[in-house]
Amino acid sequence: MFDELDVALLKTLRDHPRAGQLEVSRLTGVARATVQARIHKLESAGIVTGYGPDVDLRAAGYTVQAFVTLEIAQGALDAVQGELEGHPSVVEAFATTGTGDVLCRMAARSQEELQQALLDINRSPNIARSMSVVILSTVVETRSLPLLEAHARAGGRAPAYRRAHRAPGGRRAADDREA
Amino acid sequence: MFDELDVALLKTLRDHPRAGQLEVSRLTGVARATVQARIHKLESAGIVTGYGPDVDLRAAGYTVQAFVTLEIAQGALDAVQGELEGHPSVVEAFATTGTGDVLCRMAARSQEELQQALLDINRSPNIARSMSVVILSTVVETRSLPLLEAHARAGGRAPAYRRAHRAPGGRRAADDREA
DNA sequence: TTGCTGCTGGGCAAGCTGCTCATTTCTGCT
DNA sequence: AGCAGAAATGAGCAGCTTGCCCAGCAGCAA
C-alpha cells in the first residue's frame, strides 16, 4: 500500500510542520509535482485525514490523565456513547472485548477534577461498574509512522539518476536526522 | 489559560487543515495579525506541538487494534521502554497505576499479526504477564478541543464593534458548522 | 484619567501554491 | 524482448499568502 517515498513524505511533514510542498520537495529531494501527487493520493485514500493542530494536553494544564474501563448495561452502548461524548473530560473511548465493555481515556487538571468527572460518569444508570488506572508517565509517545515504515514497499520508482546524485551512504534516511 | 478565541482558532485549524492564517482570519472574523499572534503564542507555550499529518491507521490497513496491559519485572521499566519503542506495532504506551504497570496500544493488519506481535513482546524476560483487549469500535473519536473549550476564559478582548457585526444568536460557533 | 496590553487594518517584498505540460524513466505484461 | 501505461521530473505562470512592521484605537486596571 505504501512505499518508502510515502513514509518519507509523512515523516518530513511531521518533522517540519510548517513546511509547504516546496520545502518538502527540497528536504526529500523529490520533485514538487511528485510531492503534490503523492500527498494528494494519501489524502484522497483517507489515510491522511488532516493536519489538525496537535494539542499537548499536559502543556495545556491537563496533567492528570487516566484510562477508565467501563462495564455497561446490556445494549446501552448508544446511550453511553452519547453520555461520554457529552463529557468534555473524555478524550477518547473505544468498545472492547474483555470483561470491560468500554475503555476510555480521560484528562483533567487535577486529581479532584478527575475524581469529579469519574463520579459524573458513574452516576449514569447505564454504567454498571468502572475501573480506572491513572497514567503516571509516557513510555512510548504516540506514533504511527514506524508502523507504516515497517511494512513500506521497498521498491522506489525513483529514476536511476536520482540515486546517483546522492551520496552513497546518504539516501532518504537523511530527512529524519536534520529534524 | 485560554479564552474563546484560542479555542475558536484551534477549531478552525482543525476543520480547515489547509487553511493558512489568512483563511483562518476570514473564517473567524479576526484580524490576520491577531491570528498570527495568538497562534504563535500557543506554539511557544508548547500547547500546540505541531501539525503532523493525522494518519488514519484503519484506512491504512491496520484494522486490528488492541490495548495491552503489561505487568513488568521490578525496575525494568527502562528496559521495557526500549523494547516497546523498538516494536513498530506499539503505537503508544504509558506507565500506569493499578495492577498492570504499563498500558500500551498496538495496531496490526490482522489478528494473526497482532498475535505475533503480542508473542514477540511476551518473549521478553522483563514482561511477567500481559493482558490484552481488542478494540471493537470507536465510541468517541480522539478529541481534545471540547476539554479546552469547557474551561475557556469566556471574556474576549474583542472590540465592541466586532460583536455588533455578528448575528446575535450566531457567535463564533459558526466556524464549526461550515466544516 | 492615564498607562498598558491587545486587536485592527493596511502595506511590502519574497516566496509558495495550484495547475499544466512535454519528457524521461520504470514496471508489468504480452 | 519489446511495448504500453504509470510515475517522476523540471519548468513556467498568475494569483495569493506569509512574515514582518507600524500607527491607531479599544478594553482593563490602577
Side-chain angles (χ1 to χ4, degrees), chain B residues 14 34-35 58 64 72:
Chain B
R14 180 201 52 186
T34 306
V35 171
R58 194 157 304 161
V64 183
I72 68 176

Side-chain angles (χ1 to χ4, degrees), chain A residues 34-50:
Chain A
T34 305
V35 172
Q36 193 167 40
R38 293 298 270 256
I39 291 181
H40 181 69
K41 199 179 61 181
L42 287 172
E43 287 173 354
S44 22
I47 291 169
V48 169
T49 59

Side-chain angles (χ1 to χ4, degrees), chain A:
Chain A
M1 199 81 179
F2 302 100
D3 63 5
E4 289 174 333
L5 182 51
D6 289 311
V7 177
L9 293 176
L10 290 175
K11 271 190 179 176
T12 307
L13 279 172
R14 180 202 52 185
D15 295 334
H16 307 264
R18 325 228 64 169
Q21 322 179 325
L22 229 187
E23 189 72 14
V24 173
S25 159
R26 280 184 293 229
L27 287 167
T28 54
V30 172
R32 187 168 72 102
T34 305
V35 172
Q36 193 167 40
R38 293 298 270 256
I39 291 181
H40 181 69
K41 199 179 61 181
L42 287 172
E43 287 173 354
S44 22
I47 291 169
V48 169
T49 59
Y51 302 84
D54 301 331
V55 176
D56 182 340
L57 285 179
R58 194 157 305 162
Y62 297 87
T63 50
V64 183
Q65 290 194 43
F67 280 104
V68 185
T69 304
L70 302 175
E71 212 165 302
I72 68 176
Q74 281 291 345
L77 186 55
D78 285 352
V80 170
Q81 173 170 41
E83 291 171 19
L84 294 179
E85 222 141 40
H87 206 104
S89 298
V90 176
V91 174
E92 57 183 349
F94 306 95
T96 66
T97 63
T99 55
D101 301 299
V102 171
L103 182 58
C104 68
R105 171 149 66 172
M106 305 185 58
R109 291 176 295 184
S110 64
Q111 293 284 354
E112 293 74 36
E113 207 172 279
L114 174 63
Q115 186 171 24
Q116 186 56 53
L118 287 171
L119 289 175
D120 281 0
I121 285 178
N122 277 317
R123 195 155 38 216
S124 160
N126 296 309
I127 310 277
R129 209 164 7 150
S130 77
M131 215 183 56
S132 53
V133 292
V134 173
I135 294 178
L136 298 175
S137 69
T138 302
V139 176
V140 176
E141 206 68 53
T142 308
R143 59 180 190 176
S144 42
L145 267 45
L147 191 53
L148 302 185
E149 195 173 16
H151 303 300
R153 244 186 35 204
R157 326 188 55 346
Y161 56 87
R162 289 237 115 254
R163 302 175 182 250
H165 283 176
R166 313 189 156 293
R171 275 242 181 285
R172 303 200 185 293
D175 310 337
D176 320 341
R177 317 212 178 300
E178 50 195 295

